[in-house]
């Protein structure tokens, strides 16, 4: 791959946060298109975190020894998504403290198009031009470009480091693991090691449809498990959907100005693969059912809770590029999830409402064409989303030949019950990446690195430091 020039550091200011954290807020400038540097630039934001230490009075802070002490190895956190920013709570989380205690300093990057990194919204995207221009622009916001940003930033942050210390480590959660695999494929020379949690991508899947066939099968299991835990919700969900259908798909309005259709309500199932996901969704179902019993309609408090459970309007990149994260070469997604679920009778909510013998299944981490009609912000980019779904010309995201000769240490947490990243495909890829060590468990779900931080990171660290004969 062509070398990447260092990013330009536009601004850096540090602050001390509780927990003895020294947080530096960085703004960088990078090319929007690394293959065409005349296509403009993007402004990226990241937070650097290290331990805050109060030096002994009189100690020379400008000495060469102090300079070397300040050159701690970097560990870059790659956020899940696509299209999700890194919240401040993540920066101050147990993940940070674990790795700071191991001697690293952390970098939390808002990936391009998210957070403060030239964020994508319906209004900012509209400034680019008509739908075809906007769609072409959006193709610059996938993992291959994110990894190039990381390489540019790495070079900027380690500019004064000795050559042997300029490599950095990465940790990728979910989609961040997809990005980490892209990094290993094309720019391994910048890496010291890679940690991956719930994010070994389905590189060996023949098509996008095959990805959704696997995740749909797991979604069926999770629906059955949900209703086994909360059997009373079978009828409650049907009652709620009957109300929504009676009023019509666009009648019940949400605070975000979108419409609460039956299918949109069923998208709450995206949480089924998380720790506490069942209980959180049951709480919403219970609240909605109580409204119906008490008033015959959904109150503002309830519709607000439902509205806040989704980030599709505030993070539109997640919706319009979600299926594209599985596309390489001459392959279009063509609304894959919509087509795959159409062949699974459990997800036909119309039929399920007429059949007393079976529940209505919730949907999972999937995007559908109907969302372009019921989400107020997605409605504004409907044409762009449809163009991207039909696009069959995508850049390559992975290089299996490079992964098979990989010499970068890789430590991956793989969850057998993962609803979002198929376990089977993850293990196939683990077998393809030379030297990849895996921690496999059926006791954790997809967000375990946040919900069970100590257990996950301790397991990965053991892979790094221990050995077996």
């Amino acid at each position: 791959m062509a070398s990447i020039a260092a990013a330009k550091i536009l601004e850096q200011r540090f602050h001390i946060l509780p927990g003895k954290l020294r947080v530096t807020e960085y703004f960088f400038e990078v090319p929007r298109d690394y293959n065409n540097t005349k296509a403009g630039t993007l402004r990226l934001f990241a937070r650097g975190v290290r331990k805050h230490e109060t030096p002994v009075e009189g100690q020379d802070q400008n000495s060469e020894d102090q300079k070397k002490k300040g050159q701690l190895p970097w560990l870059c956190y790659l956020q899940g998504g696509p299209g999700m920013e890194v919240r401040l709570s993540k920066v101050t989380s147990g993940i940070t403290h674990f790795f700071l205690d191991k001697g690293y300093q952390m970098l939390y990057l808002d990936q391009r198009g998210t957070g403060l990194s030239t964020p994508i919204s319906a209004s900012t995207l509209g400034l680019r031009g008509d739908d075809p221009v906007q769609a072409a622009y959006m193709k610059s916001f996938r993992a291959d470009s994110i990894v190039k940003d990381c390489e540019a930033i790495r070079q900027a942050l380690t500019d004064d480091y000795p050559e042997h210390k300029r490599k950095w480590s990465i940790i990728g959660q979910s989609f961040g693991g997809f990005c980490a695999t892209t990094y290993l494929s094309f720019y391994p020379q910048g890496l010291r090691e890679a940690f991956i949690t719930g994010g070994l991508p389905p590189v060996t899947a023949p098509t996008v449809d095959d990805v959704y066939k696997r995740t749909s099968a797991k979604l069926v299991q999770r629906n059955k498990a949900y209703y086994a835990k909360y059997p009373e919700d079978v009828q409650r969900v049907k009652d709620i959907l009957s109300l929504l259908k009676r009023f019509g798909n666009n009648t019940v309005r949400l605070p975000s100005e979108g419409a609460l259709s039956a299918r949109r309500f069923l998208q709450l199932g995206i949480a089924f693969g998380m720790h506490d996901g069942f209980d959180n969704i049951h709480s919403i179902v219970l609240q909605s059912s109580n409204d119906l019993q008490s008033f015959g309609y959904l109150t503002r408090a309830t519709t607000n809770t439902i509205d806040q459970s989704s980030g599709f309007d505030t993070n539109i990149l997640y919706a319009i590029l979600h299926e594209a994260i599985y596309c390489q070469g001459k392959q279009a997604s063509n609304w894959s999830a919509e087509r795959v679920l159409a062949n699974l009778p459990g997800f036909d909510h119309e039929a399920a409402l007429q059949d007393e013998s079976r529940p209505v299944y919730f949907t999972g981490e999937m995007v559908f064409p109907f969302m372009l009609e019921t989400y107020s912000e997605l409605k504004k980019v409907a044409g762009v989303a449809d163009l991207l779904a039909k696009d069959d010309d995508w850049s390559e995201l992975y290089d299996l030949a490079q992964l098979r000769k990989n010499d970068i240490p890789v430590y991956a947490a793989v969850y057998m019950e993962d609803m979002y990243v198929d376990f089977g495909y993850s293990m196939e890829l683990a077998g393809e990446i030379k030297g990849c060590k895996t921690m496999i468990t059926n006791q954790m779900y997809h967000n375990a690195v946040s919900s069970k931080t100590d257990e996950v990171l301790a397991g990965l660290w053991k892979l790094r430091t221990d050995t077996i004969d």
Side-chain angles (χ1 to χ4, degrees):
M1 295 297 293
S3 60
I4 301 297
K8 180 180 180 181
I9 300 178
L10 301 175
E11 184 180 321
Q12 53 181 321
R13 301 175 186 275
F14 76 87
H15 306 278
I16 308 303
L17 271 61
K20 299 180 180 178
L21 299 178
R22 185 182 193 271
V23 177
T24 302
E25 297 168 342
Y26 293 99
F27 283 96
F28 303 94
E29 184 178 89
V30 297
R32 193 267 291 179
D33 182 349
Y34 284 86
N35 297 319
N36 178 16
T37 55
K38 295 181 180 180
T41 60
L42 299 177
R43 179 181 170 94
L44 304 183
F45 175 75
R47 291 183 175 96
V49 192
R50 61 191 305 159
K51 287 185 176 181
H52 172 59
E53 298 178 347
T54 304
V56 176
E57 186 175 354
Q59 187 174 347
D60 183 4
Q61 293 299 294
N62 296 315
S63 69
E64 189 63 26
D65 286 343
Q66 287 300 114
K67 180 179 179 181
K68 291 180 180 179
K69 186 178 179 181
Q71 293 177 335
L72 298 174
W74 282 99
L75 175 63
C76 179
Y77 181 87
L78 297 169
Q79 171 72 11
M84 299 298 176
E85 69 276 14
V86 181
R87 296 179 179 176
L88 183 60
S89 58
K90 181 73 70 179
V91 176
T92 59
S93 71
I95 297 173
T96 296
H97 289 283
F98 180 91
F99 284 110
L100 294 192
D101 287 343
K102 300 299 183 185
Y104 297 89
Q105 58 182 323
M106 299 287 295
L107 187 79
Y108 288 94
L109 171 67
D110 279 353
Q111 297 163 7
R112 53 170 54 201
T114 75
L116 304 184
S117 293
T118 316
I120 295 292
S121 66
S123 61
T124 61
L125 190 57
L127 297 174
R128 309 306 307 181
D130 59 14
D131 286 354
V133 173
Q134 292 178 43
Y137 179 76
M138 288 302 303
K139 294 178 72 170
S140 298
F141 289 80
R142 297 203 309 155
D144 49 345
S145 296
I146 292 169
V147 164
K148 291 173 183 176
D149 291 340
C150 290
E151 261 301 276
I153 290 170
R154 178 189 67 84
Q155 294 187 61
L157 293 177
T158 61
D159 181 61
D160 61 345
Y161 280 40
E163 189 61 34
H164 70 281
K165 295 178 68 175
R166 295 194 69 190
K167 293 184 179 183
W168 69 2
S169 305
I170 54 176
I171 177 169
Q173 158 63 12
S174 189
F175 172 71
F178 290 29
C179 294
T181 306
T182 302
Y183 213 143
L184 290 164
S185 293
F186 300 117
Y187 295 96
Q189 68 273 15
L191 299 177
R192 178 183 295 108
E193 61 198 342
F195 301 92
I196 296 174
T197 60
L200 284 175
V203 177
T204 57
T207 67
V208 181
D209 286 10
D210 289 292
V211 174
Y212 283 106
K213 288 175 183 177
R214 292 279 190 94
T215 55
S216 296
K218 177 60 69 175
L219 178 59
V220 170
Q221 294 177 19
R222 297 304 290 162
N223 269 281
K224 290 179 178 179
Y226 174 78
Y227 285 120
K229 182 172 184 178
Y230 294 111
E232 65 272 28
D233 285 358
V234 171
Q235 190 57 49
R236 286 172 174 166
V237 169
K238 287 187 174 184
D239 290 342
I240 295 164
L241 298 183
S242 295
L243 171 82
L244 296 175
K245 286 182 61 58
R246 186 167 76 246
F247 287 143
N249 286 338
N250 296 303
T251 301
V252 179
R253 310 303 295 182
L254 295 168
S256 63
E257 300 179 357
L260 181 58
S261 65
R263 291 192 70 183
R264 179 165 177 172
F265 183 86
L266 291 172
Q267 286 190 287
L268 291 170
I270 193 172
F272 277 0
M274 302 290 188
H275 288 280
D276 299 325
F278 281 0
D279 303 326
N280 291 332
I281 300 311
H282 168 69
S283 178
I284 294 176
V285 171
L286 181 61
Q287 182 178 351
S288 301
S289 177
N290 185 63
D291 277 359
L292 298 191
Q293 295 292 325
S294 301
F295 312 110
Y297 66 94
L298 301 180
T299 64
R300 172 60 181 259
T302 299
T303 57
N304 185 63
T305 299
I306 295 169
D307 208 9
Q308 294 299 312
S309 69
S310 165
F312 289 120
D313 270 332
T314 55
N315 299 74
I316 66 168
L317 194 154
Y318 179 86
I320 62 181
L321 278 186
H322 196 273
E323 291 194 348
I325 68 176
Y326 302 116
C327 294
Q328 296 190 88
K330 301 298 181 180
Q331 181 180 189
S333 70
N334 283 320
W335 299 108
S336 178
E338 177 85 2
R339 292 183 290 100
V340 169
L341 289 196
N343 294 315
L344 299 174
F347 295 96
D348 183 347
H349 71 279
E350 300 270 7
L353 285 173
Q354 304 302 318
D355 187 345
E356 294 182 0
S357 67
R358 62 188 177 98
V360 181
Y361 283 171
F362 288 84
T363 53
E365 188 180 39
M366 300 162 175
V367 293
F368 306 100
F370 84 84
M371 297 167 62
L372 307 179
E373 301 172 0
T374 59
Y375 287 83
S376 58
E377 290 299 295
L378 293 182
K379 187 182 297 186
K380 301 172 186 176
V381 294
V384 179
D386 200 51
L387 285 172
L388 290 168
K390 295 174 180 175
D391 197 309
D392 63 356
D393 185 15
W394 296 96
S395 55
E396 296 295 326
L397 296 176
Y398 312 106
D399 184 344
L400 270 175
Q402 175 61 40
L403 295 174
R404 287 168 180 149
K405 62 181 181 181
N406 171 66
D407 60 359
I408 307 301
V410 180
Y411 314 105
V414 188
Y415 311 124
M416 296 176 70
E417 299 302 322
D418 201 320
M419 191 182 85
Y420 312 91
V421 181
D422 179 68
F423 173 74
Y425 282 138
S426 290
M427 292 309 299
E428 287 180 20
L429 180 61
E432 296 283 1
I433 301 176
K434 184 178 179 181
C436 178
K437 295 182 178 181
T438 55
M439 180 190 82
I440 302 169
T441 177
N442 64 354
Q443 298 299 305
M444 297 180 187
Y445 294 118
H446 186 71
N447 63 331
V449 73
S450 297
S451 296
K452 297 179 179 290
T453 302
D454 291 343
E455 293 179 51
V456 173
L457 297 184
L460 290 179
W461 196 253
K462 186 175 182 181
L463 292 179
R464 183 185 186 276
T465 58
D466 204 354
T467 186
I468 60 172
D469 295 327

